[in-house]
């Protein structure tokens, strides 16, 4: 399959742009069969009609085809500012992989490719995009721009990110989220990719930083990236395993089945608390399983963009 061939060499993507373009084109084609039917052929030209708006710009031809009301959007209305935030801490490089392919990604690989897909769809919409990457330091920042040169620069940064294994260091996510929030001055749609692994002591500080990102009328979508099979279901077989904390290097030997129930209970409590806090702060929470497709990422963008503009 061509998609499979475009990935992997020393843990890096050979052609991230081409792979993202193929995924996005497949997604747009699939809109014909989805509730968003009618957007695929005129993707950047319409938005959902909201009750109370002027009926002057309703596209009646599209209404005849879709039985849904859309208004024509003119070029000056289509420009949106979007900022992508990537957690590049050591835990995001789980599971450890020498090479990655479309069907075999770790958390940072999934997040990088998802970001590239969003950039591809933002290009189609003529929207401006910016990027922030952090680990145990603030690694990269680029403000929102819409030029092709800018987009290619961000793709290059993403390609480099996936091929650089991280040292086992703890990451104070909240520190960098506050710094990013200070940099994003104009109202933007913010997509944040993170596995949200934090010490209990830092949890409240993290939520405060997320609230900071909501300032200036920004909209924040949190993509909670995880390997559901291992990190939620804790399926590691019935043989003894050695587990290593990817951020501290601490090791422990145990039978996964012996702690599975208690582990799942604690994780589910944390996830529930995370969802509740996001709901309280008006943050869109989306669980993103690295073994799933990218359609959830792209459809979330489509829905949130319609509400944002």
């Amino acid at each position: 399959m061509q998609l499979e061939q475009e990935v992997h060499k020393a843990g890096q993507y050979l052609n991230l742009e081409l792979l993202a373009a193929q995924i996005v084109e497949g997604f747009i084609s699939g809109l014909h069969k989805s509730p968003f039917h009618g957007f695929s052929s005129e993707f950047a030209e319409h938005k959902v009609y909201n009750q109370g708006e002027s009926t002057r710009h309703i596209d009646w031809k599209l209404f005849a085809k879709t039985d849904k009301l859309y208004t024509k959007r003119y070029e000056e209305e289509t420009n949106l500012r979007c900022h992508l935030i990537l957690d590049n801490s050591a835990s995001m490089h789980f599971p450890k992989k020498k090479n990655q392919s479309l069907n075999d990604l770790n958390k940072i690989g999934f997040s990088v490719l998802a970001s590239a897909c969003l950039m591809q769809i933002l290009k189609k919409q003529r929207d401006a995009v910016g990027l922030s990457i952090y680990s145990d330091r603030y690694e990269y920042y680029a403000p929102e721009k819409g030029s092709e040169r800018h987009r290619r620069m961000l793709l290059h940064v993403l390609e480099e990110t996936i091929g650089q294994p991280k040292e086992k260091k703890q990451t104070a996510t909240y520190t960098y989220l506050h710094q990013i929030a200070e940099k994003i001055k104009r109202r933007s749609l913010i997509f944040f990719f993170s596995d949200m692994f934090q010490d209990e002591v830092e949890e409240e500080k993290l939520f405060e930083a997320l609230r900071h990102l909501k300032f200036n009328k920004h909209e924040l979508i949190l993509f909670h990236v995880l390997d559901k099979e291992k990190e939620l279901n804790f399926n590691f077989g019935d043989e003894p395993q050695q587990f290593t904390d990817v951020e501290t290097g601490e090791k422990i030997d145990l039978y996964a089945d012996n702690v599975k129930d208690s582990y799942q209970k604690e994780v589910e409590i944390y996830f529930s608390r995370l969802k509740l806090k996001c709901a309280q702060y008006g943050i869109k929470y989306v669980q993103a399983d690295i073994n799933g497709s990218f359609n959830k990422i792209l459809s979330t963008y489509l829905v949130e963009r319609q509400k944002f503009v």
Side-chain angles (χ1 to χ4, degrees):
M1 185 175 179
Q2 189 176 4
L3 288 180
E4 200 69 45
Q5 293 169 352
E6 289 302 329
V7 199
H8 86 219
K9 183 179 181 183
Q12 297 186 37
Y13 291 111
L14 291 179
N15 197 328
L16 185 59
E17 181 177 22
L18 178 59
L19 187 58
Q22 290 174 323
I23 292 171
V24 169
E25 290 306 318
F27 169 75
I28 293 175
S29 296
L31 292 180
H32 284 295
K33 302 173 183 177
S34 80
F36 302 103
H37 177 72
F39 273 10
S40 55
S41 60
E42 297 160 288
F43 197 64
E45 310 305 330
H46 293 86
K47 66 178 179 180
V48 174
Y49 171 77
N50 294 312
Q51 191 172 5
E53 290 182 341
S54 170
T55 58
R56 180 180 176 187
H57 299 298
I58 288 177
D59 189 330
W60 296 108
K61 288 183 179 179
L62 191 57
F63 173 73
K65 290 190 289 184
T66 66
D67 201 30
K68 296 180 187 295
L69 290 174
Y70 298 112
T71 57
K72 293 180 180 179
R73 179 191 285 131
Y74 298 95
E75 188 162 352
E76 63 270 17
E77 295 180 276
T78 64
N79 297 118
L80 172 87
R81 299 172 67 84
C82 180
H83 199 89
L84 306 174
I85 303 175
L86 223 61
D87 176 355
N88 190 31
S89 59
S91 64
M92 287 288 285
H93 289 256
F94 175 85
K96 187 176 180 181
K97 296 183 182 294
K98 285 186 177 180
N99 298 304
Q100 301 198 52
S101 68
L102 183 66
N103 299 314
D104 189 24
L105 296 164
N106 62 14
K107 289 186 285 187
I108 193 63
F110 179 92
S111 300
V112 161
L113 185 49
S115 297
C117 289
L118 285 171
M119 285 170 54
Q120 179 68 22
I121 213 167
L122 287 162
K123 174 187 175 182
K124 286 181 173 292
Q125 296 293 94
R126 301 187 291 272
D127 292 336
V129 62
L131 176 66
S132 288
I133 302 175
Y134 71 88
S135 55
D136 58 313
R137 59 187 177 86
Y138 197 160
E139 293 184 2
Y140 183 80
Y141 167 76
E144 301 79 25
K145 294 182 182 179
S147 71
E148 180 63 13
R149 181 180 179 183
H150 178 74
R151 191 181 66 86
R152 288 188 176 277
M153 178 183 72
L154 299 189
L155 282 170
H156 176 69
V157 171
L158 289 174
E159 286 175 344
E160 289 193 330
T161 298
I162 197 174
Q164 297 174 351
K166 307 306 294 181
E167 295 181 18
K168 294 180 174 64
K169 291 184 178 179
Q170 290 183 305
T171 299
T173 290
Y174 61 88
T175 299
Y176 307 109
L177 292 186
H178 281 302
Q179 292 178 22
I180 293 167
E182 291 295 331
K183 286 180 176 290
I184 306 174
K185 302 296 184 183
R186 295 175 61 185
R187 183 171 180 252
S188 300
L189 188 59
I190 301 173
F191 294 101
F192 176 32
F193 292 88
S194 175
D195 58 11
M196 300 301 288
F197 280 124
Q198 297 292 312
D199 292 338
E200 275 188 47
V201 178
E202 296 183 341
E203 193 175 308
E204 197 56 41
K205 293 181 180 179
L206 173 61
F207 290 131
E208 285 301 315
L210 290 173
R211 288 182 68 185
H212 192 179
L213 280 172
K214 286 282 293 179
F215 282 5
N216 296 326
K217 298 183 179 179
H218 300 312
E219 286 298 321
L220 176 59
I221 295 90
L222 168 61
F223 289 117
H224 185 189
V225 184
L226 73 155
D227 183 337
K228 191 172 182 179
E229 187 66 15
K230 292 183 171 64
E231 294 180 317
L232 182 56
N233 299 334
F234 209 62
N235 289 332
F236 287 94
D238 54 7
E239 298 293 324
Q241 304 274 350
Q242 183 175 81
F243 292 85
T244 304
D245 187 319
V246 293
E247 299 206 346
T248 66
E250 185 179 349
K251 300 179 186 295
I252 185 172
D253 296 313
L254 53 80
Y255 286 91
D257 282 351
N258 289 350
V259 299
K260 186 174 182 175
D261 289 343
S262 57
Y263 169 87
Q264 284 182 310
K265 183 177 179 180
E266 289 300 317
V267 168
E268 286 170 0
I269 289 172
Y270 172 59
F271 284 7
S272 295
R273 193 162 63 242
L274 180 59
K275 292 175 189 176
L276 179 61
K277 285 288 187 180
C278 285
Q280 288 175 345
Y281 297 155
I283 297 167
K284 175 77 172 182
Y285 173 90
V286 181
Q287 197 173 96
D289 180 11
I290 63 173
N291 301 303
S293 77
F294 294 92
N295 284 359
K296 181 185 283 190
I297 306 294
L298 297 176
S299 58
T300 297
Y301 157 81
L302 185 62
V303 170
E304 295 305 313
R305 187 185 194 281
Q306 286 298 307
K307 294 193 294 187
F308 190 74
V309 298

